Amino acid sequence: MLKKVFGSAVFGVEATTITVEVNVDNGVGYHLVGLPDNAIKESNYRIAAALQNNGFKIPGKKIIINMSPADLRKEGSSYDLTLAIGILAATGQIQAEHLDKYLIMGELALDGNLQPIKGSLPIAIKAQEEGYKGFILPMQNAKEAAIVSDLEVYGVENIKQVIDFFDKNEPIERTTINVQEEFYKNLDFPEFDFSDVKGQESIKRCMEIAAAGGHNIILIGPPGAGKTMLAKRLPSILPPMTMREALETTKIHSVAGRVKDNTGLMSQRPFRSPHHTISNVALVGGGSYPQPGEISLSHNGVLFLDELPEFKRDVLEVMRQPLEDREVTISRAKFTVTYPSSFMLVASMNPSPGGYFNDPNAPVTSSPAEMQRYLSKISGPLLDRIDIHIEVTPVPFEKLSDERKGEASIDIRKRVTAARERQTERFQDNQNVHYNAQMNTKQIRQYCVLDDASKNLLKTAMERLNLSARAYDRILKVSRTIADLEGVAEVNGSHISEAIQYRSLDRDGWLG
């Protein structure tokens, strides 16, 4: 007797439907074909124990299971439930007339309980596209899959519920969520708020400009000046995610198995802060079965690299192309996957190996040779992609002990959102540019027209501060954002003079 059950495999951020064909014949043996990996090959032990503990069994017959398309590599333990239901249906232990209308996925424990799976959102999207009536999966992933409308999602805790659903028509409670409600639920209650930060008004202003124009930013200052604290609060002032961005972000985290249990749509922008010992593959993604890396997990959010010079140079260099292209492509012999990686880079560093620079009272001093070796880890091409450099100074005691709270993130976000809306309007005819940081040279010339006084100011600053040529375009981009925050159509001298302050690392005495 032959039965077909349907599961799904995820490649990149897209799913492919897998047809599991179970054929039962006279004889003895259990044969699983269709390029399964070791986790799937071991599934017969889990299935046998789970069925036995729920009053069923794998009969002593010749069972051949084919996972089609047979030339596509299948991986992971999430096919356990698919295979188990297929065996029960093919051996006549359960009646399963409507099996072809459902997609079934889940990892089995030995007692028949279900463990969570990865990639349930892309699978649900594919199931809905291909016209399946419902998707049966572990309860922990049900909310995530229920984001997809026009698909019946059933979260189950035990294989017995699935057996009774098909064999005895016993209903399973359908999981439904109000996507709009989920989306707006946590929007105005960020975990980290700028009101917690004492002093540092100039740095807060800098962060606001970076958020408004999508500019990459690097914070330079001694230990304990508040660099990490400020960086963690940046997502709270970024504009709220659109529904499309939220779906994109949830999809990537779903594939990586990083969506928290019993949560649906991700409404908060991600904030990723990898340790400086991270490898190339962990940062950009890859592996023998490609998985998204940190730069993709921070898509539509913030990637924070603390102590930038401590990262291995080759790790930082592999980031250059994704920063430019806003996606990363991983190629293997048989397939290629592309993960989106449009993120804001926030980096922080001490100004010298000892942490203190040009400070006569510093407890640790560094020689010029040590300074040069420390700073040379950051290449010019990488710095070229960072628009704003700002020095962070320690907060004086008077500010630390001040009881008054600073401006809340929600109020700053209103100004940032208004500035982003102006940019959306400006670049509405260009699909590849959404905010000022993405402008190319041609667009800079078009949208950052300077009057004679502003040109002279910029010329004087470049000569006197010995700013590099790369600083020129960056200053114009940042000044355009400052003008947008003020709601001004033209860039003027005050915007230019503020933008010039944010190029610390281009001045003589910093990087060669």
Side-chain angles (χ1 to χ4, degrees):
M1 189 175 178
L2 175 69
K3 275 286 179 183
K4 291 185 181 181
V5 199
F6 299 93
S8 196
V10 178
F11 295 96
V13 287
E14 303 301 327
T16 304
T17 299
I18 302 294
T19 306
V20 175
E21 300 170 314
V22 184
N23 188 66
V24 179
D25 209 345
N26 291 331
V28 179
Y30 182 94
H31 309 282
L32 184 58
V33 295
L35 288 186
D37 71 350
N38 284 335
I40 302 172
K41 285 175 185 171
E42 292 169 352
S43 64
N44 62 324
Y45 299 109
R46 291 191 295 273
I47 292 167
L51 294 183
Q52 193 173 358
N53 287 321
N54 285 278
F56 296 88
K57 63 176 182 176
I58 297 180
K61 292 194 174 185
K62 187 179 180 183
I63 298 172
I64 299 172
I65 301 173
N66 177 41
M67 303 181 81
S68 170
D71 62 343
L72 202 68
R73 186 138 182 91
K74 327 294 183 306
E75 58 178 91
S77 53
S78 52
Y79 297 99
D80 290 1
L81 185 61
T82 326
L83 298 171
I85 297 298
I87 290 167
L88 290 174
T91 55
Q93 293 181 69
I94 62 168
Q95 298 298 315
E97 292 172 17
H98 307 297
L99 210 52
D100 58 340
K101 294 180 181 174
Y102 294 89
L103 211 75
I104 303 169
M105 295 292 282
E107 179 190 329
L108 283 171
L110 298 186
D111 60 357
N113 285 339
L114 289 172
Q115 307 293 340
I117 62 169
K118 290 180 181 179
S120 55
L121 179 56
I123 294 170
I125 291 168
K126 190 70 175 176
Q128 190 254 340
E129 281 173 9
E130 294 192 348
Y132 286 94
K133 183 184 178 186
F135 181 17
I136 297 169
L137 76 168
M139 182 63 81
Q140 295 97 316
N141 304 109
K143 268 197 167 183
E144 191 185 317
I147 294 167
V148 180
S149 56
D150 302 326
L151 181 73
E152 295 174 11
V153 173
Y154 298 106
V156 290
E157 291 177 353
N158 191 287
I159 190 172
K160 193 78 171 73
Q161 289 175 265
V162 187
I163 292 168
D164 292 343
F165 176 73
F166 286 113
D167 195 34
K168 300 175 183 171
N169 288 325
E170 283 189 15
I172 303 172
E173 191 181 340
R174 184 179 168 184
T175 305
T176 52
I177 62 167
N178 184 329
V179 177
Q180 295 289 343
E181 191 182 294
E182 285 280 315
F183 185 58
Y184 292 111
K185 192 164 63 179
N186 301 318
L187 217 51
D188 289 339
F189 304 100
E191 188 180 351
F192 300 105
D193 200 291
F194 264 95
S195 60
D196 305 330
V197 182
K198 305 282 187 187
Q200 302 292 29
E201 300 308 325
S202 61
I203 319 297
K204 285 183 194 170
R205 165 73 176 165
C206 213
M207 295 295 237
E208 185 179 332
I209 294 165
H215 302 287
N216 298 325
I217 181 171
I218 183 164
L219 308 168
I220 312 132
K227 303 185 293 293
T228 307
M229 188 179 188
L230 285 155
K232 279 185 176 175
R233 281 151 181 76
L234 183 60
S236 69
I237 62 168
L238 286 168
M241 282 202 283
T242 61
M243 190 63 78
R244 183 183 59 79
E245 285 178 327
L247 267 169
E248 263 180 13
T249 309
T250 310
K251 224 173 164 181
I252 295 165
H253 284 249
S254 173
V255 169
R258 299 292 177 87
V259 177
K260 290 173 186 166
D261 286 356
N262 298 314
T263 53
L265 201 63
M266 286 178 65
S267 55
Q268 301 280 6
R269 290 186 181 271
F271 177 87
R272 306 292 301 179
S273 178
H275 193 260
H276 63 256
T277 53
I278 192 169
S279 67
N280 304 5
V281 171
L283 188 69
V284 298
S288 52
Y289 303 128
Q291 287 286 303
E294 289 292 336
I295 61 172
S296 296
L297 292 170
S298 53
H299 179 60
N300 292 323
V302 173
L303 177 69
F304 177 48
L305 302 183
D306 203 359
E307 303 304 341
L308 190 66
E310 299 296 339
F311 283 79
K312 292 193 284 287
R313 183 162 179 146
D314 60 325
V315 171
L316 296 177
E317 295 308 296
V318 294
M319 243 184 9
R320 278 157 51 177
Q321 190 189 356
L323 272 169
E324 205 69 30
D325 299 344
R326 302 195 174 269
E327 65 178 25
V328 59
T329 302
I330 298 156
S331 298
R332 292 290 174 267
K334 289 195 174 181
F335 59 91
T336 299
V337 297
T338 299
Y339 294 113
S341 59
S342 179
F343 59 90
M344 254 183 85
L345 175 65
V346 181
S348 79
M349 60 181 275
N350 294 329
S352 65
Y356 302 88
F357 177 63
N358 287 348
D359 183 355
N361 303 316
V364 186
T365 55
S366 305
S367 69
E370 284 176 325
M371 284 284 298
Q372 191 56 43
R373 193 163 56 247
Y374 179 71
L375 295 172
S376 68
K377 289 188 182 180
I378 309 164
S379 68
L382 180 66
L383 270 181
D384 200 16
R385 290 160 172 80
I386 300 177
D387 297 352
I388 297 174
H389 313 154
I390 187 76
E391 289 177 62
V392 184
T393 51
V395 183
F397 177 77
E398 296 74 42
K399 290 275 176 75
L400 277 175
S401 56
D402 193 346
E403 292 297 318
R404 285 175 299 179
K405 280 212 160 197
E407 190 177 16
S409 289
I410 293 171
D411 298 326
I412 302 172
R413 187 203 274 167
K414 284 174 186 166
R415 297 196 294 271
V416 169
T417 307
R420 280 280 181 104
E421 281 165 0
R422 290 184 190 100
Q423 292 163 55
T424 304
E425 200 175 311
R426 181 182 303 133
F427 303 123
Q428 61 188 349
D429 298 329
N430 194 316
Q431 286 188 337
N432 299 322
V433 181
H434 304 291
Y435 38 82
N436 291 336
Q438 296 172 325
M439 284 194 290
N440 58 29
T441 310
K442 184 183 172 187
Q443 287 152 345
I444 291 171
R445 302 290 171 269
Q446 185 180 347
Y447 298 118
C448 307
V449 181
L450 302 181
D451 56 26
D452 291 339
S454 301
K455 272 184 190 165
N456 289 334
L457 174 66
L458 187 50
K459 181 179 177 225
T460 310
M462 290 194 73
E463 287 169 358
R464 194 168 293 171
L465 297 170
N466 205 10
L467 294 173
S468 68
R470 85 164 72 100
Y472 179 75
D473 282 357
R474 304 288 164 191
I475 287 169
L476 289 176
K477 281 185 185 183
V478 174
S479 56
R480 177 68 267 171
T481 302
I482 296 167
D484 286 337
L485 276 167
E486 285 183 13
V488 180
E490 299 297 327
V491 176
N492 62 39
S494 67
H495 306 139
I496 293 285
S497 59
E498 186 176 353
I500 289 164
Q501 298 171 40
Y502 305 143
R503 296 299 300 180
S504 301
L505 290 182
D506 282 314
R507 292 177 200 157
D508 248 9
W510 272 101
L511 294 183

